[in-house]
């Protein structure tokens, strides 16, 4: 087998830390890998995180790399800075026409999953006024989040519909008139009209250093930046880019959250989406999760028009309870298809067995969760599950990767690749369990290469990832030897 290399090794592209693997092989045979570049830290948002993508046409021997989502508000290669806007948790999927989708969470400065330790997570309407438009206000501070109270007084401006030249005007709520001649482009960068010819000029602000101080470098202001003179409400945003050339180039960002009632912490599940035929139409499905009800529950969003419009299914909240009476969560999830047309969603939870729920209507509703006693894991970690194209013993196959854990709850160690044979009744016989890394094993992502071998990209420590390739024979024989 060819010697493969890591898509993003430590120090690659100036970053010492990488997390959250997302990977697939396109219809054209290109291996595409996306993850977070986290510079000098491994922590989640709020913080300076960027989305990087690598492409390989030789199965992972060599790679082309690029930043796909990158903000310049804070100096690169710094430790965690909660005053930096960033991008977190990529998910990839491809449709039958070869369109490649990349979804991530866009987090404005100071925005995290919870309002703790100086972070904010606004709960009001994806940061929008009652007219459905993004809410804005004048800067009060670049060292803390703006208010999470959203009214016409606290956020007196909004982003209007595009003008004839494509720019979006900043308008006053009180009279719908322009404010300070500010306009935005379609990725929320700030400009100002001026002069007799109404020339549009970028609004420039100081780039911040790793401690939040202004540097001498000027960067283009964005309403999600801490130092922008006009700022957005501090809310999570799911955004999407589409590539039509196998990941070489990407479209402009499109916001998804406003179309799916993404209130408060509503985030995309990292890993992979799933292309599903439902009622004669191809539906691109991406799992998401939220904590709006006090417990994290998964659902899915989907598009049938190449990302122009999005809809959301109901929460998969029939999760059951632990022996102590605590509701089991269904947070970060992955979706696969079964031969009878149903969807199956495998979810992260706080118990020691992976759980799943089924949908018979294209992800619009979900049944009760079922525990998989043959998928024992550490609990509270993302799990990768994919369909495998080649039958084994005449049965369709699923593959899963996850940390098996040890006696310590939630201890992300002892990686496993499990091979499961789908039975006629929809059950899965997880016959093979191959041990991967008998030390740290955190998030992971599986994909099938063109020759039927299995690629695994996984976190072998908190903020470093390794890419490995196995034949199916290795997984089955190694599992048998390990048992």
């Amino acid at each position: 087998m060819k010697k493969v290399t890591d898509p993003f090794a430590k120090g690659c592209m100036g970053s010492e830390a990488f997390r959250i693997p997302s990977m697939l092989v396109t219809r054209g045979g290109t291996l595409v890998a996306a993850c977070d570049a986290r510079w000098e830290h491994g922590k989640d948002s709020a913080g300076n995180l960027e989305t990087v993508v690598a492409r390989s046409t030789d199965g992972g021997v060599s790679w082309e790399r690029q930043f796909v989502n990158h903000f310049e508000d804070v100096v690169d290669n710094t430790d965690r800075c909660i005053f930096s806007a960033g991008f977190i948790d990529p998910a990839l999927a491809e449709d039958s026409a070869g369109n490649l989708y990349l979804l991530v969470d866009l987090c404005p400065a100071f925005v995290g999953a919870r309002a703790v330790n100086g972070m904010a997570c606004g709960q009001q309407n994806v940061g929008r006024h009652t007219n459905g438009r993004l809410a804005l206000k004048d800067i009060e501070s670049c060292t803390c989040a703006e208010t999470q109270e959203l009214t016409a007084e606290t956020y007196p401006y909004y982003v209007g519909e595009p003008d004839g030249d494509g720019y979006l005007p900043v308008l006053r709520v009180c009279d719908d008139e322009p404010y300070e001649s500010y306009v935005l482009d379609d990725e929320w960068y700030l400009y100002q009209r001026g002069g007799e010819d109404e020339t549009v000029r970028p609004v420039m602000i100081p780039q911040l250093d790793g401690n939040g101080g202004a540097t001498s470098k000027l960067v283009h202001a964005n309403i999600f930046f801490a130092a922008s003179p006009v700022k957005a409400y501090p809310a999570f945003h799911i955004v999407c880019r589409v590539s039509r050339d196998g990941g070489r180039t990407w479209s402009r960002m499109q916001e998804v959250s406003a179309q799916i009632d993404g209130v408060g912490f509503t985030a995309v599940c990292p890993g992979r989406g799933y292309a599903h035929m439902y009622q004669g139409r191809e539906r691109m499905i991406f799992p998401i999760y939220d904590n709006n009800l006090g417990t994290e529950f998964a659902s899915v969003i989907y598009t049938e028009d190449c990302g122009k419009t999005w809809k959301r299914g109901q929460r998969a909240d029939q999760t059951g309870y632990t022996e102590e009476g605590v509701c089991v969560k269904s947070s970060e999830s992955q979706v696969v298809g079964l031969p009878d047309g149903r969807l199956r969603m495998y979810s992260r939870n706080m118990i020691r067995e992976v759980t799943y729920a089924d949908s018979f209507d294209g992800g619009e509703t979900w049944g009760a969760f079922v525990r998989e006693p043959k998928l024992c894991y550490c609990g509270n970690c993302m799990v990768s599950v994919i369909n495998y194209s080649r039958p084994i013993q005449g049965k369709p196959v699923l593959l899963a990767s996850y940390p098996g854990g040890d006696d310590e709850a939630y201890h992300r160690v002892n990686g496993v690749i499990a091979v499961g044979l789908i039975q006629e009744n929809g059950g899965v016989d997880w016959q093979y369990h191959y041990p991967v890394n008998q030390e740290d094993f955190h998030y992971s992502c599986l994909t099938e290469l063109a020759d039927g071998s299995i690629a695994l990209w996984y976190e072998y420590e908190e903020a470093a990832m390794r890419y490995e390739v196995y034949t199916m024979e290795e997984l089955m024989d190694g599992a048998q030897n390990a048992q």
Side-chain angles (χ1 to χ4, degrees):
M1 187 172 291
K2 296 179 293 187
K3 181 175 176 57
V4 297
T5 59
D6 294 326
F8 296 99
K10 288 183 178 182
C12 182
M13 302 180 76
S15 178
E16 292 297 323
F18 295 95
R19 281 210 65 201
I20 318 300
S22 173
M23 177 176 62
L24 56 73
V25 175
T26 69
R27 292 174 177 273
T30 299
L31 179 61
V32 180
C35 68
D36 296 347
R38 299 195 175 187
W39 303 113
E40 295 292 330
H41 66 95
K43 299 180 176 63
D44 294 339
S45 295
N48 46 331
L49 290 72
E50 330 292 347
T51 309
V52 288
V53 172
R55 302 173 67 252
S56 177
T57 57
D58 53 19
V61 176
S62 60
W63 299 89
E64 305 166 8
R65 301 176 177 90
Q66 62 177 312
F67 286 98
V68 173
N69 297 317
H70 180 225
F71 281 147
E72 292 189 315
D73 54 336
V74 171
V75 175
D76 291 343
N77 206 23
T78 59
D79 204 345
R80 186 187 193 187
C81 316
I82 69 169
F83 39 84
S84 175
F87 302 90
I88 188 172
D89 288 359
L92 288 166
E94 186 188 33
D95 65 23
S96 60
N99 298 305
L100 185 61
Y101 301 73
L102 172 64
L103 271 66
V104 299
D105 302 322
L106 187 164
C107 299
F110 304 103
V111 171
R114 292 173 177 81
V116 295
N117 300 325
M119 294 185 291
C121 187
Q123 299 295 310
Q124 294 185 259
N125 197 28
V126 206
R128 293 174 180 268
H129 283 298
T130 54
N131 61 6
R133 308 300 297 177
L134 277 172
L136 302 173
K137 70 183 297 294
D138 294 309
I139 184 174
E140 290 188 27
S141 172
C142 65
T143 60
C144 65
E146 303 292 339
T147 178
Q148 295 176 62
E149 180 186 5
L150 201 169
T151 68
E153 289 72 37
T154 57
Y155 285 82
Y157 322 120
Y158 68 92
V159 180
E161 298 286 351
D163 289 333
D165 58 4
Y167 289 98
L168 295 81
V170 175
L171 304 176
R172 295 192 297 254
V173 173
C174 63
D175 58 10
D176 301 315
E177 291 297 317
Y179 175 64
E180 299 292 341
S181 300
Y182 285 130
V183 295
L184 307 176
D185 66 19
D186 58 351
E187 292 191 340
W188 308 287
Y189 284 92
L190 186 65
Y191 301 78
Q192 203 164 23
R193 296 188 190 275
E196 294 182 0
D197 59 355
E198 291 287 285
T199 300
V200 175
R201 296 180 175 84
V203 174
M204 307 300 288
I205 59 174
Q207 186 181 52
L208 303 181
D209 63 23
N211 297 310
T215 70
S216 59
K217 181 179 179 178
L218 295 179
V219 297
H220 192 177
N222 187 295
I223 61 172
F224 298 131
F225 292 179
S228 176
V230 177
K231 299 171 69 173
Y233 181 82
F236 255 75
H237 299 267
I238 298 174
V239 295
C240 173
R241 292 190 192 270
V242 178
S243 174
R244 292 173 173 82
D245 56 10
R248 287 190 183 89
T249 62
W250 296 86
S251 69
R252 304 283 287 178
M253 255 188 290
Q254 179 193 358
E255 189 189 18
V256 176
S257 296
Q259 301 184 49
I260 61 161
D261 298 324
V263 178
F265 175 75
T266 301
V268 69
C269 297
R272 294 173 54 143
Y274 184 76
H276 177 61
M277 290 301 298
Y278 182 66
Q279 296 183 342
R281 295 175 63 88
E282 186 173 46
R283 179 173 285 188
M284 296 305 298
I285 294 174
F286 287 85
I288 65 171
Y289 67 116
D290 70 82
N291 61 8
N292 300 164
L293 302 181
T295 298
E296 291 178 353
F297 291 121
S299 56
V300 300
I301 57 175
Y302 55 89
T303 179
E304 297 177 347
D305 56 9
C306 201
K308 296 182 180 67
T309 60
W310 294 83
K311 295 181 180 179
R312 180 179 182 179
Q314 294 180 15
R315 291 184 180 92
D317 57 2
Q318 298 180 55
T319 52
Y321 295 86
T322 67
E323 289 73 10
E324 295 77 25
V326 178
C327 182
V328 176
K329 71 177 183 179
S330 62
S331 60
E332 293 168 325
S333 301
Q334 297 286 269
V335 171
V336 293
L338 269 58
D340 62 5
R342 82 179 83 172
L343 296 173
R344 179 159 293 174
M345 180 162 63
Y346 288 87
S347 297
R348 170 178 175 170
N349 58 53
M350 301 291 284
I351 58 179
R352 301 300 295 269
E353 297 170 342
V354 177
T355 55
Y356 70 83
D358 289 345
S359 173
F360 292 88
D361 55 12
E364 296 174 22
T365 62
W366 297 89
F369 272 82
V370 177
R371 299 188 183 194
E372 279 281 18
K374 288 190 176 181
L375 294 183
C376 298
Y377 89 130
C378 66
N380 203 28
C381 187
M382 175 263 189
V383 174
S384 177
V385 186
I386 63 169
N387 291 96
Y388 184 65
S389 68
R390 308 181 184 201
I392 295 176
Q393 301 173 20
K395 302 288 186 181
V397 176
L398 296 180
L399 300 173
S401 60
Y402 53 90
D406 56 17
D407 292 337
E408 179 185 345
Y410 315 144
H411 192 198
R412 296 174 178 179
V413 294
N414 300 330
V416 176
I417 299 176
V419 181
L421 279 55
I422 303 174
Q423 307 301 300
E424 290 184 3
N425 64 359
V428 180
D429 181 7
W430 295 98
Q431 287 193 11
Y432 306 96
H433 298 78
Y434 180 87
V436 177
N437 187 44
Q438 299 307 286
E439 296 179 349
D440 282 8
F441 189 100
H442 301 254
Y443 282 35
S444 62
C445 191
L446 292 160
T447 197
E448 178 184 353
L449 301 181
D451 62 1
S453 57
I454 309 305
L456 172 69
W457 194 22
Y458 68 95
E459 298 171 351
Y460 67 91
E461 56 185 53
E462 184 178 359
M465 299 194 292
R466 180 177 294 145
Y467 174 78
E468 296 177 343
V469 178
Y470 305 87
T471 66
M472 181 58 74
E473 290 73 22
E474 282 182 280
L475 297 183
M476 296 168 65
D477 293 344
Q480 291 170 343
N481 293 336
Q483 290 174 347

